[in-house]
Structures are given as structure tokens and as C-alpha cells.
Amino acid sequence: MEMAKSDRFIKSMTECDPADRKWIFGNETDDPLRYAFDAKRVVHPGVKGEMLPKEKWESTWKMLTGKPGKGGKRAAYVHIPFCSAKCLYCGFFQNLTDRELEDAYIDRLVEELRRDSQEPFVASHPFHAVYLGGGTPSSLSERNIERLLRAINEFLPLANDCEFTFEARIHHFNDAKVQACIGGGINRFSLGVQSFNTRVRQSLGRREPGEKVIERLHAIHRHDQAAVVIDLMYGLPLQSMEVWEEDVRTLIRCGIDGGDLYQLNVYNDSKLNDAISRGSLPPAAKTAEQALMFRRGLELMQESRLRRLSICHWSSGTRERNLYNSLSKSGSATVPFGSGAGGKIDGYTMFVDKDIKSYLQRIDKREKPLMFVMSPREGYALYNDIIAQLERGHLNLLWMKAGYGTDVEETFSPLFGEWARKGLVEMNGDYMDLTVAGQFWYVNLTQAILDGLVLLREGGKHSLTVRSIAAQG
Ligand code: SF4
């Protein structure tokens, strides 16, 4: 007789390393918010596909883009791999601003957009979100901003209600650049503020005092042409709970369209990790302290009646939709452009060459300059849906069964029961809802379900996704 799925799951769990088991079921604790796990396991939950050999990258790209899309909402991601300085906490820095290189880069990026726009997949139906990220798009000269936005408008079929986001840093985002963006159709600005506290900002190498940041946010918002949203981070060195509360209150008071409350991750190869290790900065908050900051941020946002769009993102009105993030998390097609851009089409994931010199040369050779392509993992649509739903704080169990024929509830009943007992989730009819503690640990819970499903589908030894952040426990 075939073993029940829940028994197969339990059997596989009893066979796995006890240290790994703790990463799935969590710790035995009365304080799940702070101690349910020893640390966050991954930065973004996911299931990786298989790396294709280099000789197949170009032909796979041609295969994916050589036929019309299937319809549905989709996005484009355009990467600007320049920053005017390297931020202390950053794990994504690529190149320092260099105007000559920047001009050459925008020439090639425009050419990449032009060439790809002739592919049936790109041309076939509208893009609903375009995201210019980096790096720092606002580090571009005004002229290059105009050139790039003109090319995007000319070559990509944008939906009339396309969310068109431009990532910016207050420091160099002057009025002329803001005007260039608005003139080019940008309708959403995402600004990395991190903290309004001048001392915290300056310890991170951010030059403007908090008051200046607020003044600039108001000035950008006054154009009344685009949603203005910001990122705040909790757990930064020198950021006490009082400073954090004031950061969140300032976000609410300043009347912009929304914001993200992000947990600081200290990357092993970041300058922040070096500065803390050398003692030139006090340590960042430990994970348990960050958990309390997360809860306090949540309480303040709830008191202010801002609309919550995901576990870490809020909107103050009708303008902010957070569409690009929702589409990319749910696995919708995202077409990548520019050195360092990542994308997804039909479950394949791909990344454009991060080495800018090589990117320029390969565009001149008429290649799509990819640096890897991964094939889809069987069941990727289900995995993406689980990631997207838990990102919003719940899992619709009935939908999982009806939409994918996978009885997640039955399969994981021993695990969900354990999480409920530990205060991480609540089972409410067809839904599993994350508690506040579950929301703080949602990447671990999501990764646990994904690992469990992979194990059951594919068998073999259970191997947990390697943690990629420095220990903050
Ligand atoms: S601007 Fe963004 S990408 Fe550039 S160094 Fe700072 S955090 Fe990193």
C-alpha cells in the first residue's frame, strides 16, 4: 500500500540530519518571535533550477523569445550597474560612476532594447511593469536618463497603466533629473532612505542629514506625477528602538505614497561586516532584537491605518501598487536588460553578464550577453505561488489543491501542526495564516515548505539551501 504523503514527509524528516530538522520545524521556545529559528536561512526563498551548459544559453534565449508570449501580466527589468559610492551594507555593488563608461553603456543598453524588441516574445503583448534598478539609476546623467527612457518607450509595448519605477538615491537626485524622469513617463520613484536619523545615516556613509531627506521627498512628491515610496531598514548600527520608532513615524508623517520596512542583512563580503569586525562601528542588532523592531514597525503601521500590500510593504493611498515586486515574486515573466539584470521566462531564470566590459563587447558582437541560464524545476509554478502567497502572509490551501493538484495541507499536516503549536501559524479554514512571529520568520517557513516539496517530488537526500548572510544570531 502506498504510504500517505504526510507519513512520507515525516519519514524523510526523521531520516535527515537533526541540525537540518531544526531549520524545518523550528526551535522549542516560548518566544517564537525572537527564537523560533537560530537565524534567517536565506535572503529570498526559492528552488533553483539546473544550470544549463554555456553553449545552450543563446539558443535557449532564442527559443524563449522567438515565439509570442502567452499573455498575462509581465514585467521588464532594466539594470543600471553604477553607483556614485559603495554603501557600507551593500552586497550588490558593481561599478563606480564613470561618465565615459556610462555613455558607452547606455549606447549598448539602448541597442539591447532595440534588438530584443524585434523578438516575438517581447513584441507580442503589453508590459505591465518596468523597473529601473541597480546600482543607482539616479546616478545617471540627465541626458542618459532621457535617452534610456526614450528607448524604453519606443521599443517596449507598455500597457497604458504600466507601473514604471525608477530607483533613486536622494543624494544626487536633483530637480533636473526628476523632471527628466517625469518627462520620460516614470510614475513611481523608489528611494533608498534606510534611516532618517542623521547619525545613523552618516555612519553608513549617507551624506544628507535627515531633514534634508524629508525636504527632498516632499519636493519630489509635490510634482504629483508619480508614487513616491521609500525603503527603511531596521537593525542598523546605532539605530536603537527609539530611533527606529522615529524612522517609522517619520515615514508615516511625511505623507508619501508608501514604504518598505526591511531587515538589515549583514553580508559577509560587505564593508559593514568589516567595519563591525574592526570595531569602527558598533554591532548591528542581533536577529532577536530585529524581531522586536519588526513587531514595533508593524504596530506603528497598523495604528496609522496604512494599507499593507505584503509582509514588509505598505501603501498610504491608491497610487502605490507595488506591482513589479508582486509580479516578480509570483514568477511572472520578467525580461532582463542591462549588465547585472536578472529575469525569468517560462520558468527559466537568466542573468545578464555582470562584467561591464564584457557586456559592452558582447552587445557589439550582437549577442544577448548572458552569464547563466537555469532550466525550470518541475513544479516551479506551484513553488512560485507558494512564495508569492506567503510573502502576503498566508497560504490558500484549497487553491493549492484545486490549482496544482497538490494537497499541501495533508502533506505538511505534521509540520503545520507543529508550527501552530509553536505560535508561527494559525490554521483558519482553507487558509494557513502567519502570526506576527511567522511573518518575521516567513523566509524560513517558505523555504521549509519548498524544500519539503522538492524532497517529496524528487526524493534523494534532503539538502538545505545554504545560508548566505553573516551570522547575526
Ligand atoms: S547605491 Fe545601492 S547598489 Fe549602490 S552601493 Fe549603495 S546599496 Fe549598493
Side-chain angles (χ1 to χ4, degrees):
M1 200 172 74
E2 206 194 333
M3 195 185 275
K5 283 189 179 135
S6 54
D7 292 341
R8 278 179 59 209
F9 173 68
I10 281 296
K11 183 167 177 292
S12 63
M13 284 293 108
T14 47
E15 282 167 1
C16 84
D17 186 326
D20 281 358
R21 212 161 38 235
K22 256 181 39 170
W23 286 113
I24 301 281
F25 285 92
N27 297 326
E28 213 42 77
T29 170
D30 294 337
D31 189 349
L33 175 66
R34 290 197 287 170
Y35 302 117
F37 295 91
D38 294 339
K40 296 257 174 126
R41 247 175 81 191
V42 286
V43 179
H44 300 294
V47 178
K48 285 202 173 111
E50 200 180 316
M51 190 73 82
L52 294 181
K54 198 172 176 186
E55 59 276 13
K56 290 204 168 160
W57 298 347
E58 186 84 18
S59 58
T60 304
W61 174 260
K62 285 277 168 214
M63 178 272 290
L64 292 170
T65 58
K67 54 181 194 271
K70 297 178 192 135
K73 292 225 175 344
R74 63 179 185 161
Y77 177 81
V78 182
H79 195 74
I80 304 301
F82 300 105
C83 305
S84 54
K86 180 173 179 182
C87 300
L88 224 52
Y89 51 83
C90 183
F92 307 103
F93 175 82
Q94 283 178 258
N95 310 287
L96 268 182
T97 299
D98 165 335
R99 286 289 174 233
E100 210 176 306
L101 188 59
E102 178 188 306
D103 288 344
Y105 179 71
I106 297 296
D107 290 345
R108 303 321 191 283
L109 184 52
V110 168
E111 173 59 12
E112 186 187 3
L113 282 156
R114 189 197 63 75
R115 219 183 282 155
D116 286 351
S117 72
Q118 294 165 0
E119 299 294 340
F121 180 81
V122 176
S124 59
H125 65 106
F127 283 89
H128 302 85
V130 176
Y131 194 98
L132 272 84
T136 326
S138 56
S139 69
L140 295 176
S141 69
E142 190 190 323
R143 176 175 159 269
N144 281 332
I145 292 174
E146 284 168 355
R147 286 207 297 148
L148 178 57
L149 296 181
R150 204 178 308 123
I152 293 172
N153 281 292
E154 182 181 349
F155 297 128
L156 300 184
L158 306 184
N160 281 359
D161 64 348
C162 179
E163 180 191 86
F164 200 172
T165 303
F166 191 88
E167 242 180 34
R169 273 183 64 174
I170 294 281
H171 172 59
H172 43 229
F173 201 34
N174 58 31
D175 285 335
K177 291 187 186 184
V178 175
Q179 284 293 0
C181 287
I182 290 172
I186 292 294
N187 56 29
R188 183 171 184 264
F189 292 113
S190 174
L191 293 119
V193 168
Q194 320 317 351
S195 173
F196 289 102
N197 183 280
T198 302
R199 192 161 161 251
V200 173
R201 293 178 58 74
Q202 289 176 347
S203 78
L204 295 173
R206 301 240 151 176
R207 294 170 222 177
E208 309 70 25
E211 312 79 65
K212 172 89 177 149
V213 174
I214 296 169
E215 200 184 295
R216 283 303 297 151
L217 287 176
H218 283 150
I220 299 166
H221 195 231
R222 266 198 303 274
H223 286 276
D224 199 16
Q225 291 284 0
V228 178
V229 299
I230 64 168
D231 294 340
L232 290 181
M233 266 188 192
Y234 54 91
L236 295 162
L238 299 171
Q239 188 189 40
S240 62
M241 180 65 99
E242 291 68 36
V243 168
W244 171 238
E245 287 180 349
E246 192 48 28
D247 279 336
V248 179
R249 287 199 176 101
T250 307
L251 159 60
I252 295 164
R253 271 197 310 263
C254 78
I256 55 171
D257 299 279
D260 271 292
L261 306 187
Y262 276 125
Q263 179 184 15
L264 171 73
N265 288 316
V266 181
Y267 295 100
N268 284 318
D269 58 354
S270 65
K271 290 204 300 193
L272 179 58
N273 199 29
D274 289 348
I276 293 171
S277 313
R278 279 198 319 271
S280 49
L281 269 183
K286 293 192 185 313
T287 304
E289 296 165 285
Q290 289 182 325
L292 298 179
M293 296 172 105
F294 168 78
R295 184 174 66 190
R296 188 67 190 124
L298 196 63
E299 286 165 0
L300 292 169
M301 292 304 236
Q302 271 165 353
E303 279 167 22
S304 72
R305 305 296 189 268
L306 264 66
R307 196 158 48 97
R308 196 174 187 191
L309 301 183
S310 72
I311 283 181
C312 61
H313 193 84
W314 282 263
S315 156
S316 70
T318 51
R319 196 167 233 168
E320 167 57 352
R321 295 181 290 161
N322 201 32
L323 187 59
Y324 173 81
N325 288 322
S326 314
L327 292 179
S328 63
K329 291 278 163 53
S330 66
S332 298
T334 303
V335 184
F337 300 98
S339 170
K344 271 183 214 164
I345 303 177
D346 281 354
Y348 286 82
T349 49
M350 66 283 300
F351 209 80
V352 181
D353 202 333
K354 251 168 86 167
D355 178 330
I356 190 154
K357 299 248 162 72
S358 158
Y359 168 85
L360 301 180
Q361 285 164 2
R362 292 175 68 190
I363 289 283
D364 289 347
K365 285 196 226 150
R366 302 191 59 77
E367 286 177 40
K368 178 76 180 179
L370 297 164
M371 72 180 264
F372 71 72
V373 179
M374 282 190 196
S375 61
R377 195 75 171 241
E378 194 203 330
Y380 71 89
L382 168 66
Y383 302 149
N384 286 332
D385 206 349
I386 288 172
I387 294 167
Q389 289 200 34
L390 286 172
E391 170 96 10
R392 296 197 301 274
H394 62 254
L395 198 57
N396 182 337
L397 302 162
L398 189 62
W399 169 244
M400 293 290 134
K401 198 169 172 182
Y404 301 98
T406 300
D407 196 336
V408 172
E409 185 174 17
E410 196 237 295
T411 306
F412 292 108
S413 54
L415 178 62
F416 293 171
E418 190 74 359
W419 284 349
R421 186 180 68 73
K422 289 176 173 165
L424 292 166
V425 302
E426 281 172 5
M427 306 307 291
N428 294 317
D430 294 332
Y431 286 86
M432 180 178 78
D433 293 307
L434 304 185
T435 61
V436 172
Q439 291 167 26
F440 179 71
W441 293 106
Y442 87 95
V443 293
N444 286 27
L445 304 188
T446 308
Q447 195 62 51
I449 296 173
L450 298 180
D451 282 341
L453 283 169
V454 171
L455 178 75
L456 288 172
R457 274 167 182 256
E458 300 179 13
K461 184 162 165 35
H462 185 68
S463 81
L464 295 182
T465 309
V466 180
R467 291 179 55 223
S468 54
I469 50 178
Q472 277 173 233

